[in-house]
Amino acid sequence: MKKLILAYAFLLSLGLIAQNDSQLGIADIDQGISQNSYQDTDTPPSIALSETFEEAAKRNNIAHRKLTNLKDIEDGYYIIAGIFSRKENLKRTIKKFTRKGFAAGSIANSENGLNYVYLEHHPFGLEAVDACVSKLNGRYKGDVWILEAEKEVFAEETIALEKVDYQMLNNSDTDSQTSLPKEIHTPRKTLLIQKADQYFDKMWYAEAAELYEEALKKGKDNYSFDIIQKAGDAHYFNTNMEKAFHWYDLLYKNYKDEMSADNIFKYAHSLKGTGKYARSKRLMRLYNRKMKKGDFAKAMDDGAQTRNEVVLDKILGTEEKLDIHNLSINSKYSEFSPMFLDSNQVVFASSMDSSFFTTRRYKWNNQPYLDLYVAKMNEESQDLRNAIKYSKKINTKYHEASVTFSPDNSTMYFTRNNYGKKLKRDKNGVNHLKIYMSKKVNGDWIEAVEVPFNSDDYSTGHPALSQDGKQLYFVSDMPGSIGQTDIFVVDVLGDGNFSEPRNLGPSINTERKEMFPFINAEKLYFSSDGHVGLGGLDVYEVAYSKEEGFGEVVNLGKPINSNKDDFSYIVKEETQEGFFASNRPGGKGDDDIYSFKRLVVEEIPENLNAIAGVVTELITGDVMPQTLIELLDENGIKLKEIVTGDDGTFVFEDLDGNTKYTLKTTQKEFFDNEIEVGTRDNERMEVDISMRRLKEMIAIEDGIKKLKTEMIHFDFDKSYIRKDAAEELDKLVEVMNEYPDMVIKIESHTDSRGSKVYNEYLSDKRAKSSRDYLISKGIAPERIESAKGFGESQLLNECDGTVRCSEANHYLNRRSEFIIVRM
């Protein structure tokens, strides 16, 4: 989040906190799992975080190979299900896999002319191994292997090191006279890395990250613990979690034993920030072990779900019904910290106006400095429009943000850099934040003054007044803080006097960051990365009453929270309408303000009409999970589809009463199954579906391999394909599609009635009729070697005309057989 906690310098002071175990307390830290995470069992995990891709693949007996200089592909690891040389088979197979829900495609190898059909692509090798071990979450039962692919590589041009402008480094801000650290040059550091370190030490993380990236591209000689860690940290503090994860992941693979608890925490949060909840969960277990000075390696095998993981499971499984909109006042820069001014106006922080000019930018994240703006609120759409700068008496050339107003709007508190005639810095060169207060006189705000609990040695900010204006909540890293930043409260005594600050305590504050408080008569809301959450900063609520104080901290869940930073939440409790800020994907800029409104769900009379059942294998009776079932109407149009659960069950709900439907069941290696079922008013219809394997049609009789269909029978003296024969031939088409190299020959037979010459002619017409039907269904003509009639020369019984036979016995002789030539 390139935002107030970063952009207007709240963490400037925090950057000087030592990153070691002794300064980090033990608390309930958020852990991450997702719906696709590893299940906690006594079975060893398919991969261990300390393993390389090659080690994990070998341990799980997964074949793999690597190809380079491939065209038009994305680098990564592909799960391969087949290799094809013929384009028609390739396209058909990809289409089949895509129809079954796989992200299928192909990779062409120009060296041998082969095409590799893949089911999934993963950017990381260990994730590909885990997918193979899980059989793609049980969706694919065939053999697979992993192809590590790299696109065409071109020689990188040598990048010349630009001369370091030390004058610029020392005087980039007019008011900044901080000198560079003396101990900066080491024999091994290039000028490029020295320059990156200087930016990093000044907390200019956007520029530092760019230089570290450039240095690391030059070769593995720069892959030291310090440089990789700083590359990850620079992106982490700039909340580019994708790039932070890349470097933390590399740090873990190469320097796991040297990583501190803080390194592990940031790594875990970068995993959550990129949606990798399963791995984040395991890293947070390791973090907790590290914090408790336990066995560092043993943490990876701890299978028991922690309380935090259970809480996160609940967060991931629930989602509030809210209508969320990105506001029209958002720009490509940062907008956040909204606050109600009155019933139809909102004040917020933004850097949009200063970005129009050539101005100094805040080096933390390369964003312009922030000012306060006021905008009108459209009550119906919850949008903010016509934003203008709030007050010249309040806005300066440095940061102003996070405002709160007294109930009568006569007093305001806001956050600003520690600023007099110039920026003030502590002995370490850090410019802290302070809370300022201004009074309204004759309709105008007067010059703001500091509150007495500010300090030049620590930061205070994010003020929030209680609804009666008697308590002022704020955020600080002052002495007595539990973590990096805590929420405190003071009593507003009047005449510019306040009580001593009180820490809200460990039930709310953690050893990480708590910030952006907002309080009304019922609840306290705040953001944190120390409580259990989805990643980055999440918004939490705590019920509050004067009699009982604060209750339990509760995560607001989705869609308010995401795996990015979500913060500065304000709400009207009576209507459940409000605003918050987030840097989630899909926004207009760095941080955007979103409005939210609770959706009113219209009550609909309960509909009990349903079709439910279980899918099993015909021969064994085993239940069939992950089987696709489509619900079709009387015209064959698909209405719904569902995949059976682990127990093979399914249910279609909210159906029309007294209506006929068709259930079409599809599963790889099985024949499609269609059955008709009708609903009754307010009843649940139970059906059982049995599936027959395709390979059961392949059998050997008298040493000859045949496709065993039900008898393909013909009416007397006819050669057209009857409906029952078409159903059997359709099954044969399914088998031949499953085995694309199969070639067959068709042999047709008649009974003994009629002349032998005519019977041979009739049977030949029947054989060719069967062949034509298969071709019409997409079977290539060259896959049918021959279609020949044998007349009455190969009867199945004694009905050769010399004995009296029933019609049923003659009927058995009218048949077609399908002999497998090769497959």
Side-chain angles (χ1 to χ4, degrees):
M1 175 177 69
K2 302 163 188 170
K3 55 184 71 63
L4 190 58
I5 59 169
L6 301 179
Y8 78 87
F10 209 129
L11 294 183
L12 284 174
S13 59
L14 303 181
L16 298 175
I17 296 176
Q19 306 293 326
N20 56 54
D21 296 344
S22 63
Q23 291 183 286
L24 297 173
I26 298 174
D28 290 337
I29 303 299
D30 45 347
Q31 318 246 352
I33 57 176
S34 70
Q35 294 174 345
N36 295 320
S37 66
Y38 310 101
Q39 298 299 311
D40 295 317
T41 67
D42 294 330
T43 305
S46 58
I47 60 174
L49 287 180
S50 59
E51 284 185 304
T52 65
F53 160 67
E54 289 78 11
E55 290 170 341
K58 181 178 180 181
R59 184 165 64 82
N60 289 282
N61 296 317
I62 298 172
H64 61 91
R65 64 174 297 192
K66 182 175 182 178
L67 290 178
T68 58
N69 293 327
L70 298 172
K71 294 182 179 180
D72 301 322
I73 66 158
E74 183 179 356
D75 288 353
Y77 299 81
Y78 293 79
I79 298 177
I80 306 299
I83 305 175
F84 296 86
S85 59
R86 297 175 60 179
K87 291 295 179 67
E88 59 178 353
N89 293 337
L90 172 71
K91 292 179 180 178
R92 186 161 49 245
T93 302
I94 292 174
K95 184 178 181 181
K96 179 182 69 174
F97 286 141
T98 302
R99 190 168 58 245
K100 293 184 178 180
F102 295 101
S106 66
I107 298 172
N109 186 348
S110 59
E111 294 182 3
N112 57 17
L114 296 178
N115 296 278
Y116 304 87
V117 174
Y118 63 84
L119 302 176
E120 286 183 357
H121 166 253
H122 294 271
F124 304 104
L126 293 180
E127 293 180 354
V129 171
D130 198 64
C132 290
V133 172
S134 70
K135 295 288 186 182
L136 286 73
N137 290 327
R139 295 186 300 136
Y140 187 78
K141 298 182 180 179
D143 294 331
V144 293
W145 56 279
I146 298 174
L147 173 62
E148 181 182 356
E150 289 183 359
K151 58 188 174 184
E152 287 183 304
V153 179
F154 300 94
E156 293 185 0
E157 295 181 2
T158 303
I159 303 174
L161 289 177
E162 60 182 301
K163 183 178 179 180
V164 179
D165 187 346
Y166 290 104
Q167 184 66 26
M168 178 273 291
L169 289 175
N170 280 314
N171 299 287
S172 57
D173 282 339
T174 304
D175 296 323
S176 172
Q177 301 298 324
T178 305
S179 61
L180 291 173
K182 295 180 179 179
E183 299 298 326
I184 173 174
H185 298 284
T186 62
R188 292 180 177 273
K189 289 189 176 181
T190 65
L191 291 177
L192 185 64
I193 294 174
Q194 293 172 30
K195 185 177 178 181
D197 286 347
Q198 291 163 7
Y199 285 157
F200 189 90
D201 292 340
K202 281 177 171 283
M203 300 178 193
W204 298 350
Y205 292 118
E207 295 190 3
E210 184 177 346
L211 295 184
Y212 284 128
E213 290 272 0
E214 186 177 340
L216 288 163
K217 286 179 181 178
K218 290 182 176 295
K220 293 191 176 181
D221 290 342
N222 292 328
Y223 277 40
S224 67
F225 179 93
D226 181 64
I227 294 174
I228 297 174
Q229 174 189 252
K230 285 181 176 177
D233 286 350
H235 287 303
Y236 182 87
F237 291 138
N238 213 24
T239 58
N240 186 333
M241 290 301 172
E242 289 79 7
K243 288 189 175 181
F245 162 73
H246 173 79
W247 295 115
Y248 289 148
D249 191 55
L250 185 66
L251 190 72
Y252 184 88
K253 290 176 180 176
N254 291 279
Y255 300 101
K256 181 185 75 172
D257 294 336
E258 288 77 33
M259 289 177 73
S260 68
D262 188 68
N263 296 146
I264 296 298
F265 181 89
K266 290 173 183 172
Y267 181 26
H269 268 255
S270 71
L271 283 162
K272 280 205 290 188
T274 51
K276 301 174 178 66
Y277 290 105
R279 293 180 66 186
S280 177
K281 174 187 71 173
R282 301 169 74 199
L283 261 294
M284 288 307 298
R285 292 185 192 174
L286 188 150
Y287 168 82
N288 288 332
R289 292 272 188 170
K290 190 80 169 173
M291 294 287 291
K292 296 176 182 178
K293 307 296 183 184
D295 182 357
F296 187 72
K298 185 179 178 183
M300 302 310 300
D301 296 323
D302 185 0
Q305 253 198 335
T306 67
R307 173 185 175 276
N308 290 347
E309 292 166 14
V310 174
V311 172
L312 183 58
D313 270 339
K314 184 177 180 180
I315 296 170
L316 289 168
T318 58
E319 183 166 354
E320 289 289 330
K321 290 181 170 57
L322 298 176
D323 191 18
I324 291 179
H325 289 289
N326 188 291
L327 302 185
S328 60
I329 52 92
N330 290 318
S331 70
K332 66 178 182 179
Y333 295 97
S334 288
E335 282 78 33
F336 57 94
S337 285
M339 179 55 63
F340 300 114
L341 174 60
D342 51 36
S343 61
N344 63 358
Q345 294 186 97
V346 170
V347 177
F348 62 96
S350 174
S351 55
M352 57 181 167
D353 187 64
S354 60
S355 64
F356 296 150
F357 306 97
T358 302
T359 183
R360 289 173 303 154
R361 290 173 179 258
Y362 184 48
K363 297 297 183 179
W364 182 293
N365 61 1
N366 204 30
Q367 290 280 307
Y369 283 85
L370 297 157
D371 282 329
L372 293 174
Y373 288 76
V374 61
K376 292 185 178 180
M377 181 171 57
N378 184 309
E379 187 172 345
E380 185 174 341
S381 67
Q382 284 291 101
D383 201 1
L384 298 180
R385 297 185 180 276
N386 305 322
I388 59 173
K389 283 196 174 182
Y390 186 53
S391 170
K392 293 182 179 179
K393 291 287 188 180
I394 303 302
N395 289 322
T396 68
K397 62 180 179 179
Y398 292 107
H399 289 304
E400 284 81 29
S402 290
V403 63
T404 188
F405 298 94
S406 62
D408 60 2
N409 272 341
S410 64
T411 304
M412 69 178 293
Y413 300 86
F414 63 94
T415 311
R416 177 189 283 168
N417 294 103
N418 185 3
Y419 170 71
K421 292 183 179 180
K422 63 179 182 179
L423 289 176
K424 299 178 182 179
R425 301 179 185 274
D426 66 11
K427 61 183 179 180
N428 296 311
V430 174
N431 170 249
H432 291 287
L433 297 176
K434 289 186 175 181
I435 295 174
Y436 289 78
M437 177 181 66
S438 179
K439 296 282 187 178
K440 186 180 286 186
V441 178
N442 297 325
D444 292 324
W445 296 106
I446 64 173
E447 198 71 34
V449 297
E450 291 187 38
V451 295
F453 48 86
N454 287 334
S455 173
D456 292 338
D457 297 321
Y458 55 78
S459 287
T460 57
H462 302 184
L465 276 168
S466 61
Q467 198 166 42
D468 59 8
K470 295 182 179 180
Q471 282 83 38
L472 179 66
Y473 293 81
F474 65 96
V475 175
S476 180
D477 60 339
M478 65 173 56
S481 297
I482 295 172
Q484 294 180 1
T485 58
D486 284 4
I487 300 176
F488 292 80
V489 63
V490 293
D491 297 322
V492 180
L493 305 176
D495 298 324
N497 295 315
F498 302 86
S499 68
E500 289 295 316
R502 303 185 299 276
N503 191 302
L504 293 193
S507 63
I508 291 176
N509 293 316
T510 69
E511 80 276 13
R512 288 285 160 176
K513 297 187 292 286
E514 279 69 47
M515 46 188 56
F516 295 102
F518 171 78
I519 190 164
N520 54 37
E522 299 179 23
K523 294 179 181 179
L524 168 70
Y525 297 91
F526 65 96
S527 290
S528 172
D529 66 355
H531 290 279
V532 183
L534 300 180
L537 290 173
D538 274 14
V539 181
Y540 299 83
E541 65 176 13
V542 185
Y544 171 77
S545 68
K546 291 183 178 180
E547 296 76 21
E548 299 182 4
F550 293 107
E552 182 180 358
V553 174
V554 177
N555 188 295
L556 288 189
K558 298 179 289 186
I560 295 295
N561 290 321
S562 65
N563 62 356
K564 302 298 181 182
D565 290 316
D566 310 289
F567 57 102
S568 61
Y569 176 96
I570 62 174
V571 63
K572 296 179 180 178
E573 286 292 341
E574 62 276 12
T575 61
Q576 284 297 295
E577 299 173 344
F579 303 91
F580 71 100
S582 178
N583 65 345
R584 65 187 59 189
K588 296 179 183 178
D590 189 43
D591 299 307
D592 282 2
I593 299 176
Y594 293 80
S595 67
F596 67 88
K597 183 177 182 180
R598 187 173 300 280
L599 296 175
V600 178
V601 181
E602 181 182 356
E603 291 191 7
I604 300 175
E606 187 175 11
N607 180 356
L608 300 179
N609 300 324
I611 298 174
V614 61
V615 180
T616 59
E617 187 176 341
L618 177 64
I619 302 301
T620 65
D622 293 338
V623 297
M624 294 181 56
Q626 300 299 313
T627 300
L628 177 67
I629 304 180
E630 298 174 322
L631 182 74
L632 312 178
D633 66 11
E634 289 185 280
N635 298 315
I637 298 174
K638 183 171 72 172
L639 303 176
K640 299 181 180 182
E641 67 178 37
I642 197 171
V643 174
T644 58
D646 292 339
D647 57 356
T649 60
F650 68 91
V651 59
F652 290 105
E653 297 179 308
D654 297 324
L655 303 180
D656 295 333
N658 296 318
T659 303
K660 291 182 179 180
Y661 294 97
T662 297
L663 297 179
K664 181 179 179 180
T665 310
T666 306
Q667 174 64 287
K668 176 181 168 56
E669 299 178 354
F670 288 81
F671 288 107
D672 290 350
N673 188 311
E674 291 190 12
I675 62 172
E676 293 184 355
V677 59
T679 57
R680 301 192 189 116
D681 278 337
N682 291 321
E683 286 191 28
R684 177 184 173 112
M685 306 302 295
E686 298 287 343
V687 295
D688 293 326
I689 300 175
S690 298
M691 300 286 286
R692 180 183 173 190
R693 287 187 179 275
L694 295 173
K695 67 179 182 180
E696 292 170 3
M697 283 186 63
I698 301 175
I700 298 177
E701 294 182 353
D702 300 326
I704 299 174
K705 187 179 291 186
K706 297 181 180 180
L707 283 172
K708 293 294 293 181
T709 67
E710 297 295 329
M711 283 292 189
I712 305 296
H713 292 297
F714 296 88
D715 288 335
F716 178 68
D717 200 29
K718 303 293 182 183
S719 62
Y720 66 85
I721 302 298
R722 303 189 330 187
K723 182 180 179 180
D724 60 340
E727 292 175 355
E728 291 303 311
L729 289 173
D730 286 341
K731 295 178 183 178
L732 191 149
V733 170
E734 287 188 61
V735 176
M736 294 190 72
N737 284 335
E738 185 66 27
Y739 297 92
D741 295 325
M742 178 182 288
V743 177
I744 66 171
K745 61 181 179 180
I746 304 173
E747 296 181 352
S748 186
H749 307 270
T750 67
D751 60 30
S752 62
R753 291 176 292 183
S755 70
K756 289 185 178 182
V757 174
Y758 177 76
N759 284 340
E760 187 173 337
Y761 162 78
L762 179 61
S763 64
D764 198 63
K765 282 189 65 177
R766 289 174 173 175
K768 289 175 171 54
S769 178
S770 298
R771 178 196 63 188
D772 293 343
Y773 183 87
L774 296 179
I775 293 173
S776 73
K777 293 296 183 177
I779 301 300
E782 59 268 24
R783 296 182 62 193
I784 304 174
E785 185 178 86
S786 63
K788 184 178 179 181
F790 290 84
E792 59 185 86
S793 61
Q794 297 181 17
L795 300 174
L796 295 178
N797 50 38
E798 70 280 5
C799 297
D800 58 0
T802 62
V803 296
R804 191 178 186 87
C805 287
S806 66
E807 177 61 30
N809 286 335
H810 282 301
Y811 184 74
L812 292 175
N813 291 317
R814 299 195 300 269
R815 70 197 188 278
S816 287
E817 295 180 332
F818 305 91
I819 299 170
I820 299 173
V821 178
R822 61 180 178 273
M823 61 179 295

